[in-house]
């Protein structure tokens, strides 16, 4: 099996269940998350012989797993078909809205930064918080360039946006970006 780096011929139906059980009981938790991410990413490849539809629907699978993660206080949720260490419902909803809006509006540059930030946050066994934050700031910069195209830097764009009244900016946020 591809994920385990073994040939399918090495398993029978009963043996694969035992092999997977044994494998996962001795692994770190992130290996189980990686396996589920693999199943989600490769769902289209899991089509029965002669069939046209995958064995499982990714959206239903994610909807099934999400409450289980929450109930078990896993510290992770699935965003963009990856496990990320975000559990705050407001943050999850905002990321979902941003992803949907950028897709609908064709804002690919912003989507690329969002995906990279999530990918870095989902990195296992240790998330790459620093580079995820850099991608997030690059995303803010891309958004500001759309709102205020005459700003040469993020600071310039934010000053113009703030002074124009287009977006009301919290003073601490303004101060943080200007330093």
């Amino acid at each position: 099996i591809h994920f385990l780096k073994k040939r399918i011929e090495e398993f029978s139906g009963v043996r694969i269940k035992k092999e997977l059980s044994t494998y996962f009981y001795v692994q770190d938790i992130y290996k189980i998350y990686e396996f589920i991410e693999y199943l989600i990413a490769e769902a289209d490849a899991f089509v029965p012989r002669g069939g046209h539809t995958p064995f499982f629907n990714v959206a239903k699978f994610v909807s099934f797993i999400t409450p289980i993660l929450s109930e078990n206080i896993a510290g992770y949720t699935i965003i963009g078909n990856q496990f990320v260490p975000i559990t705050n419902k407001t943050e999850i909803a905002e990321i979902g809205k941003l992803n949907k809006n950028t897709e609908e509006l064709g804002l690919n540059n912003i989507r690329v930064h969002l995906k990279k930030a999530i990918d870095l946050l989902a990195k296992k066994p240790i998330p790459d918080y620093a580079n995820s934050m850099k991608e997030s700031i690059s995303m803010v910069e891309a958004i500001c360039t759309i709102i205020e195209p005459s700003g040469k830097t993020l600071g310039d764009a934010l000053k113009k946006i703030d002074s124009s009244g287009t977006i009301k900016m919290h003073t601490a946020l303004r101060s943080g970006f200007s330093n």
Side-chain angles (χ1 to χ4, degrees), residues 56-158:
F56 65 92
N57 177 299
V58 171
K60 286 182 182 178
F61 184 66
V62 170
S63 294
F64 172 76
I65 293 234
T66 300
I68 293 171
L69 293 168
S70 181
E71 289 166 13
N72 289 287
I73 313 169
Y76 283 82
T77 195
I78 298 175
I79 297 176
N81 295 340
Q82 293 179 303
F83 285 93
V84 291
I86 298 174
T87 58
N88 180 293
K89 290 181 184 196
T90 304
E91 292 173 0
I92 294 166
E94 289 301 315
I95 291 169
K97 283 191 326 192
L98 179 60
N99 196 32
K100 182 180 177 214
N101 291 339
T102 55
E103 182 176 7
E104 287 175 358
L105 298 171
L107 302 172
N108 293 329
N109 189 25
I110 296 167
R111 276 190 71 134
V112 167
H113 289 298
L114 176 62
K115 179 163 180 3
K116 283 183 185 175
I118 290 171
D119 288 348
L120 292 163
L121 197 56
K123 189 175 176 189
K124 292 166 200 64
I126 300 169
D128 187 349
Y129 294 113
N131 285 316
S132 178
M133 186 60 68
K134 289 176 188 176
E135 283 299 328
S136 299
I137 292 170
S138 294
M139 184 176 55
V140 170
E141 190 170 26
I143 292 168
C144 288
T145 307
I146 292 168
I147 296 170
E148 183 51 63
S150 65
K152 293 181 174 130
T153 65
L154 176 60
D156 288 343
L158 287 171

Side-chain angles (χ1 to χ4, degrees), residues 158-178:
L158 287 171
K159 283 178 192 170
K160 289 181 182 183
I161 291 168
D162 192 38
S163 65
S164 72
T166 307
I167 296 174
K168 181 93 172 132
M169 198 178 319
H170 191 279
T171 51
L173 180 64
R174 184 182 327 114
S175 172
F177 277 121
S178 65

